[in-house]
Amino acid sequence: MTLAAAFVAVSMSAQVYLGGSVGVNAWSTQKLAGDKSETTFSILPEIGYNINDEWAVGAVIGYSSDKFNGLTDRLVGVTLSESAFTFDPYVRYTFAKAGSVNFFVDGGVDFTTAKKADWTGLAVGLKPGLSVNLSDNLSFVSHLGFIGWQQLNPDGDDNNINKTGVDLSSSNLTFGLYFNF
């Protein structure tokens, strides 16, 4: 009975949040630079559970699509496409609060796989971010950067790409909205 009462008490004080982010990125070059282009679209829904004011657990389950045009000299004019699936469970620690702004860091494991091109990616690390509570039920959330280890495993053996460090590029900048229940 004590265990059931403790579970009910924790469940009542906790909050579930739903949200995520959507991204679109496009670039192209002119004819003298190879006449190449890429368009990327991603949708990254997220669900989380606030354990208390400082700790939360959650996961991002997402999909992305890339379309490439003219990547190499022998493929000029050819359009290639690729789709990828992402699963990113995390633990969030909120380390500072300033009014309606919360500063946090997500620690997690990111697994991405693309079937057509036959590659997988694995990342273990930290993603700093902030959330702005727009109301009791709506928050604006942003992540900037990645600190940790990443591995890309293309098709085949002995060709893994490993990367360790800090990456503050715009490819690691996300914006999203959360609905708090």
Side-chain angles (χ1 to χ4, degrees), residues 75-122:
L75 293 177
V76 170
V78 174
T79 300
L80 303 173
S81 64
E82 178 61 76
S83 298
F85 170 78
T86 299
F87 178 64
D88 183 6
Y90 63 84
V91 174
R92 175 172 294 167
Y93 177 68
T94 301
F95 59 88
K97 295 182 180 190
S100 62
V101 178
N102 299 327
F103 298 92
F104 63 85
V105 63
D106 289 350
V109 177
D110 183 359
F111 175 76
T112 303
T113 183
K115 186 174 182 179
K116 190 174 180 181
D118 196 18
W119 61 266
T120 57
L122 181 65

Side-chain angles (χ1 to χ4, degrees):
M1 293 296 289
T2 304
L3 186 58
F7 178 75
V8 169
V10 168
S11 297
M12 289 176 61
S13 66
Q15 284 188 348
V16 173
Y17 55 90
L18 293 172
S21 60
V22 175
V24 177
N25 184 22
W27 63 266
S28 64
T29 62
Q30 293 179 337
K31 188 175 183 177
L32 293 177
D35 206 15
K36 301 173 186 176
S37 66
E38 177 183 8
T39 304
T40 304
F41 169 77
S42 62
I43 182 165
L44 302 166
E46 184 172 342
I47 186 168
Y49 181 82
N50 290 315
I51 298 169
N52 57 37
D53 286 344
E54 294 176 342
W55 292 97
V57 294
V60 175
I61 301 172
Y63 168 81
S64 64
S65 173
D66 287 345
K67 291 192 180 192
F68 309 95
N69 185 20
L71 288 180
T72 65
D73 291 338
R74 58 190 171 98
L75 293 177
V76 170
V78 174
T79 300
L80 303 173
S81 64
E82 178 61 76
S83 298
F85 170 78
T86 299
F87 178 64
D88 183 6
Y90 63 84
V91 174
R92 175 172 294 167
Y93 177 68
T94 301
F95 59 88
K97 295 182 180 190
S100 62
V101 178
N102 299 327
F103 298 92
F104 63 85
V105 63
D106 289 350
V109 177
D110 183 359
F111 175 76
T112 303
T113 183
K115 186 174 182 179
K116 190 174 180 181
D118 196 18
W119 61 266
T120 57
L122 181 65
V124 178
L126 304 173
K127 296 177 186 176
L130 66 90
S131 68
V132 179
N133 298 322
L134 303 173
S135 71
D136 288 342
N137 297 96
L138 185 65
S139 300
F140 170 80
V141 179
S142 177
H143 291 87
L144 173 61
F146 176 80
I147 304 164
W149 171 79
Q150 297 172 318
Q151 181 183 67
L152 178 64
N153 182 0
D155 182 28
D157 294 328
D158 299 324
N159 59 355
N160 291 349
I161 301 165
N162 291 292
K163 189 165 77 168
T164 304
V166 177
D167 186 356
L168 297 175
S169 68
S170 62
S171 64
N172 286 315
L173 176 63
T174 62
F175 300 103
L177 289 174
Y178 288 178
F179 296 98
N180 303 299
F181 298 97

